[in-house]
């Protein structure tokens, strides 16, 4: 599994859960947080600010982007091609702006949200 944005809130949750499930995890973050995600249990780390890290990408059954449109890098663009033949990216069935946070929570609370794709 590759987690892009492994040092953020969603990334650290995903990382700890993946380790609990004994998944092999590559975490991607900035240089200031490398040690932090290593302490959380990544098997490998990649620095998104270093374009030389692109050569260290492997193939992954799951690529999780925890930063979305908020940040991009040359490494992030290549991560999309790092999926195995049967790999997948998690799916969000809807996105809400901050102004519609109440509507978003209502949608989730009513059990309508959909998560991982097939």
């Amino acid at each position: 599994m590759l987690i892009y944005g492994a040092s953020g809130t969603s990334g650290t949750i995903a990382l700890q859960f993946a380790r609990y499930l004994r998944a092999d995890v590559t975490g991607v973050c900035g240089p200031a947080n490398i040690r932090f995600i290593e302490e959380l249990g990544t098997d490998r780390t990649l620095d998104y600010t270093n374009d030389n890290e692109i050569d260290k990408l492997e193939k992954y059954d799951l690529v999780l982007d925890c930063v979305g449109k908020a940040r991009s890098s040359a490494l992030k663009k290549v991560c999309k091609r790092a999926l195995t033949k049967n790999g997948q990216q998690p799916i969000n069935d809807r996105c809400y702006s901050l102004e519609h946070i109440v509507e978003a929570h209502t949608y989730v609370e009513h059990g309508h949200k959909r998560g991982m794709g097939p």
Side-chain angles (χ1 to χ4, degrees):
M1 169 178 200
L2 180 130
I3 303 172
Y4 192 95
S7 63
T9 303
S10 299
T12 57
I13 291 168
L15 170 55
Q16 293 173 82
F17 186 63
R19 293 306 300 157
Y20 174 78
L21 295 174
R22 296 191 174 119
D24 186 48
V25 179
T26 297
V28 179
C29 65
N33 291 312
I34 295 286
R35 185 168 183 196
F36 172 64
I37 65 170
E38 287 174 341
E39 290 172 353
L40 288 177
T42 56
D43 297 290
R44 279 165 303 292
T45 58
L46 299 174
D47 173 0
Y48 77 89
T49 67
N50 182 348
D51 289 348
N52 294 325
E53 300 283 76
I54 292 171
D55 295 333
K56 296 179 182 176
L57 277 175
E58 299 174 6
K59 289 290 186 180
Y60 304 93
D61 294 318
L62 180 66
V63 174
L64 179 61
D65 178 2
C66 293
V67 297
K69 295 179 181 178
R71 299 215 171 144
S72 190
S73 69
L75 179 65
K76 182 177 180 179
K77 292 173 185 170
V78 177
C79 286
K80 294 178 182 180
R81 297 190 308 256
L83 282 170
T84 59
K85 181 181 177 185
N86 294 318
Q88 50 185 272
Q89 289 165 298
I91 296 170
N92 289 324
D93 67 337
R94 293 191 183 179
C95 294
Y96 293 87
S97 65
L98 189 57
E99 295 82 35
H100 295 103
I101 192 76
V102 173
E103 183 181 340
H105 279 275
T106 300
Y107 182 70
V108 170
E109 290 169 1
H110 284 98
H112 300 297
K113 71 176 181 67
R114 293 174 50 194
M116 294 286 286

